[in-house]
Amino acid sequence: MRKNSIKNTRINGEVQKVLSEIIRGEIKDPRISPMTSVVQVYVAPDLKTCKAFISVLGDEEAQKNTLAGLKSAVGYIRRQLAKELNLRNTPEITFVLDQSIEYGVNMSKLIDEVVKSDEKEDEEE
């Protein structure tokens, strides 16, 4: 199976959907932030490994705690994933912190600040 095949793309989407439902609704670990989302999932073509990119809204401490909580619950998550999805192999999950949403929010704030300062300069003139 090629890396970008239609089958692999569908598997990535299904794993992402089920993974986000498990993290949101079934894990009771207090370290995991309620503002955690699964941004992207890449399952290897042989279905042995999986990289899940996680975004956590909050400070750096919340991000570290959420990642630690997810890593400690990886066995339970994998078992639930196997129950939900009927795959030949249940992939070994690796969680990676994704900073893209936070980066986008920061860039949006910076753009808004520049626009406001330009408007003030125009009003002064």
Side-chain angles (χ1 to χ4, degrees):
M1 180 167 56
R2 292 186 326 269
K3 187 171 183 176
N4 294 330
S5 70
I6 294 171
K7 181 179 177 184
N8 201 358
T9 304
R10 278 200 345 255
I11 290 173
N12 289 343
E14 282 298 311
V15 170
Q16 180 179 354
K17 186 177 92 175
V18 172
L19 204 56
S20 64
E21 289 172 2
I22 292 170
I23 290 171
R24 188 175 349 105
E26 298 180 24
I27 298 180
K28 304 292 186 237
D29 193 334
R31 294 179 290 183
I32 297 174
S33 170
M35 299 299 288
T36 302
S37 60
V38 180
V39 178
Q40 185 72 41
V41 172
Y42 293 116
V43 179
D46 63 354
L47 303 177
K48 299 280 187 193
T49 60
C50 167
K51 267 190 182 178
F53 292 90
I54 305 296
S55 176
V56 180
L57 198 63
D59 59 347
E60 215 170 294
E61 184 74 21
Q63 293 174 352
K64 277 196 256 182
N65 287 340
T66 299
L67 210 52
L70 288 173
K71 285 182 181 177
S72 70
V74 76
Y76 173 78
I77 294 171
R78 190 171 179 209
R79 189 169 50 250
Q80 292 301 107
L81 194 64
K83 284 182 184 177
E84 293 288 325
L85 296 176
N86 186 16
L87 294 175
R88 189 173 350 128
N89 298 318
T90 304
E92 190 97 16
I93 304 168
T94 306
F95 291 105
V96 180
L97 198 59
D98 186 29
Q99 304 285 348
S100 63
I101 293 176
E102 185 177 338
Y103 178 76
V105 169
N106 287 337
M107 291 306 286
S108 180
K109 285 180 184 176
L110 290 174
I111 291 170
D112 290 344
E113 289 175 8
V114 169
V115 168
K116 285 181 184 177
S117 69
D118 282 350
E119 288 174 354
K120 286 181 182 179
E121 288 177 9
D122 289 342
E123 288 175 1
E124 292 174 359
E125 291 178 359

